[in-house]
Amino acid sequence: NAGVMQNPRHLVRRRGQEARLRCSPMKGHSHVYWYRQLPEEGLKFMVYLQKENIIDESGMPKERFSAEFPKEGPSILRIQQVVRGDSAAYFCASSPRQGRIGSTDTQYFGPGTRLTVL
Amino acid sequence: AQRVTQPEKLLSVFKGAPVELKCNYSYSGSPELFWYVQYSRQRLQLLLRHISRESIKGFTADLNKGETSFHLKKPFAQEEDSAMYYCALSSTSGTYKYIFGTGTRLKVLA
């Protein structure tokens, strides 16, 4: 099992361009989480998706950010019209299921995509 | 408010010395607590979670609900323990998203 894959590992965009970040969960995992890590901060939850469904997007900025997890293919985090403040490391994590009553499943993390906005 | 606090950004200890990485949390309900470690140039990986009560690589952590703490401890630090350590909590209902602390960089000196 190759683990959670993210690409690209590094992405450079100019202000106003679009950024697309991809995440392939571990085999057999149908739950995907995206987190953002700004410099000198911890990881902050952005969005939680299952196949074809957004379950919780309470951490997503209201504008310019969107996420999807189609039936086939990787999960995509899309940032439109990027600004310098979007520069950060974006991590994806996957888990096999949502958890059982009174417990939660471990999340397995990808290596992250480091986005730099010039 | 739901929050995880790791008060130390950097902790330096000598090889063979005991180490304790502090983690305090604020959460209304019954969370699960985790420690993740990130070695240089590697991805975050689970070190341990409180419900398993395991000792991994000599590390242990006990959930203290009274003090709302989940400190990570190791009696004798080794150079290969140098890494970034993140404490995280997850609810046991809802969407199970993680709330992370800001991390503590542990440096074990020879």
Side-chain angles (χ1 to χ4, degrees), chain A:
Chain A
N1 197 328
V4 178
M5 307 293 287
Q6 287 188 251
N7 67 80
R9 294 290 307 276
H10 299 275
L11 183 61
V12 179
R13 285 287 178 266
R14 295 190 181 280
R15 280 179 295 170
Q17 291 184 317
E18 179 180 285
R20 280 187 176 233
L21 289 63
R22 293 175 188 76
C23 169
S24 297
M26 287 178 70
K27 189 175 181 181
H29 288 194
S30 57
H31 300 264
V32 166
Y33 299 78
W34 284 93
Y35 295 85
R36 177 167 66 173
Q37 185 177 33
L38 295 169
E40 303 298 317
E41 295 187 17
L43 283 75
K44 295 272 195 317
F45 168 79
M46 298 181 76
V47 62
Y48 162 48
L49 310 103
Q50 294 178 28
K51 285 282 187 182
E52 300 185 278
N53 286 303
I54 296 174
I55 307 301
D56 180 352
E57 55 182 349
S58 59
M60 287 276 270
K62 293 285 184 277
E63 297 176 348
R64 302 187 297 108
F65 284 72
S66 62
E68 62 177 13
F69 188 16
K71 188 176 180 182
E72 302 290 338
S75 175
I76 307 283
L77 179 68
R78 184 178 174 213
I79 311 172
Q80 295 178 292
Q81 299 175 319
V82 295
V83 300
R84 290 226 172 100
D86 297 332
S87 295
Y90 292 82
F91 292 93
C92 166
S94 72
S95 69
R97 56 185 179 274
Q98 196 177 20
R100 296 136 290 184
I101 294 174
S103 179
T104 185
D105 277 324
T106 299
Q107 293 181 22
Y108 296 85
F109 283 81
T113 294
R114 188 163 298 279
L115 173 65
T116 301
V117 180
L118 302 177

Side-chain angles (χ1 to χ4, degrees), chain A residues 4 40 98 104 106-107, chain B residues 9 32 36 43 49 86 96:
Chain A
V4 178
E40 303 298 317
Q98 196 177 20
T104 185
T106 299
Q107 293 181 22
Chain B
K9 290 184 77 169
E32 280 205 44
Y36 277 80
R43 63 186 69 194
R49 53 191 295 183
Y86 293 95
Y96 307 98

Side-chain angles (χ1 to χ4, degrees), chain B residues 6 8 35 49 61 70 79 87 98 101:
Chain B
Q6 294 181 251
E8 303 137 329
W35 276 100
R49 53 191 295 183
F70 188 55
E79 288 182 75
C87 181
Y98 282 7

